[in-house]
Amino acid sequence: MNIMQIPRHPNEPCLLITDAGLASLVLTAMASEQPAADNQQRTTLYPAWWTSQSDMDLRIPAIDRAVEMQADLLSLSVIRDHAGYPEEAPSRGQQSSLGVHQTRMLLDAATLAIELGIKRVIWPIQIDQTEDTSETLNTIATAIDRAILTARLATLDAQSQGGVEVTIETPLVDLTNQQLSDLAADLNVPLNTCWWTDTTLPDAQDHYNRWAGQPTIASMLEHRPQSSNAATPAL
């Protein structure tokens, strides 16, 4: 039995990467509960996408809307002139791997954080665990390594110009779906703001079904306010 160590959002300014999914929403809700110290900014949201590279022309507007909605509800600010989205569809044979995109996204976020004087970047990646424990552990380790090494690279470039040392943290990376669902319920997050509640979007139905399969989330979805752009999901 896995005992979940409840992640804590640091009580200092952070740059929170967000795709407006459930993991991102959980960390956004946690960030909103942290009081800001005198003369300190609160956590700032950095819109991004790191799980695929297709249909971005449809995804980006939906993610942007969802991030803005979550920021408004939870009283956080959003970076609007930077985003960690994949490049526009390259020609066949020239598309970089998803891992390359994730590294570029993290490096951009870390570099931006340094420019803003922020020392901590939070990446809400959560690995969907499979029956192959070895594969799951390798995927988790790769995500953690990518975050650590990218932060080191960003810091290496910045320190030569007097910039701050930045870290990239992955507090949810090894949580199971049930653990993340329970955490979302404890925080009473506004599920209707997740991008995938509009099930007309690419892959949204799959994401919806993944979380609706968790009894805790299913109950929250049943009682959530209906948004105007949400289609009736098919389970």
Side-chain angles (χ1 to χ4, degrees):
M1 176 180 176
N2 289 335
I3 300 176
M4 177 176 64
Q5 292 186 337
I6 299 176
R8 303 291 182 186
H9 191 86
N11 191 18
E12 63 180 275
C14 297
L15 188 67
L16 172 55
I17 302 170
T18 174
D19 65 353
L22 184 62
S24 295
L25 178 57
V26 163
L27 289 181
T28 301
M30 293 175 69
S32 73
E33 295 182 351
Q34 293 292 337
D38 292 341
N39 301 319
Q40 272 195 335
Q41 66 188 95
R42 301 184 70 190
T43 293
T44 301
L45 304 183
Y46 171 87
W49 182 258
W50 57 86
T51 56
S52 66
Q53 295 172 283
S54 61
D55 299 313
M56 292 311 300
D57 57 330
L58 298 176
R59 293 183 199 277
I60 290 175
I63 295 170
D64 283 344
R65 286 193 301 269
V67 170
E68 290 284 354
M69 190 184 306
Q70 292 173 7
D72 287 344
L73 282 174
L74 298 170
S75 302
L76 296 175
S77 60
V78 181
I79 298 290
R80 294 184 173 86
D81 56 353
H82 281 75
Y85 295 129
E87 298 176 357
E88 295 185 8
S91 59
R92 180 169 298 183
Q94 294 183 341
Q95 186 168 6
S96 59
S97 71
L98 187 60
V100 170
H101 163 63
Q102 291 178 352
T103 300
R104 289 173 177 167
M105 175 199 71
L106 292 174
L107 185 59
D108 184 67
T111 302
L112 178 61
I114 291 169
E115 292 174 358
L116 296 173
I118 296 174
K119 297 180 180 180
R120 304 177 83 158
V121 174
I122 312 296
W123 183 23
I125 186 172
Q126 182 246 352
I127 303 301
D128 192 9
Q129 301 189 17
T130 66
E131 295 180 358
D132 187 338
T133 303
S134 177
E135 178 184 359
T136 297
L137 291 176
N138 285 337
T139 306
I140 290 171
T142 297
I144 294 172
D145 286 345
R146 191 183 308 280
I148 292 173
L149 295 174
T150 305
R152 288 178 180 172
L153 177 59
T155 298
L156 181 65
D157 291 338
Q159 286 185 327
S160 64
Q161 302 178 27
V164 299
E165 180 177 354
V166 69
T167 61
I168 301 175
E169 302 173 16
T170 54
L172 307 180
V173 67
D174 60 350
L175 294 194
T176 64
N177 288 351
Q178 180 179 342
Q179 289 172 331
L180 183 58
S181 300
D182 290 344
L183 189 54
D186 289 343
L187 292 165
N188 194 27
V189 299
L191 278 181
N192 60 305
T193 63
C194 286
W195 74 269
W196 42 258
T197 55
D198 180 0
T199 53
T200 63
L201 295 168
D203 300 330
Q205 188 70 66
D206 290 340
H207 284 266
Y208 185 100
N209 291 347
R210 171 189 176 188
W211 295 113
Q214 298 296 319
T216 304
I217 297 297
S219 177
M220 294 175 70
L221 287 169
E222 183 180 353
H223 297 97
R224 82 187 193 278
Q226 292 296 318
S227 59
S228 59
N229 65 338
T232 302
L235 295 180

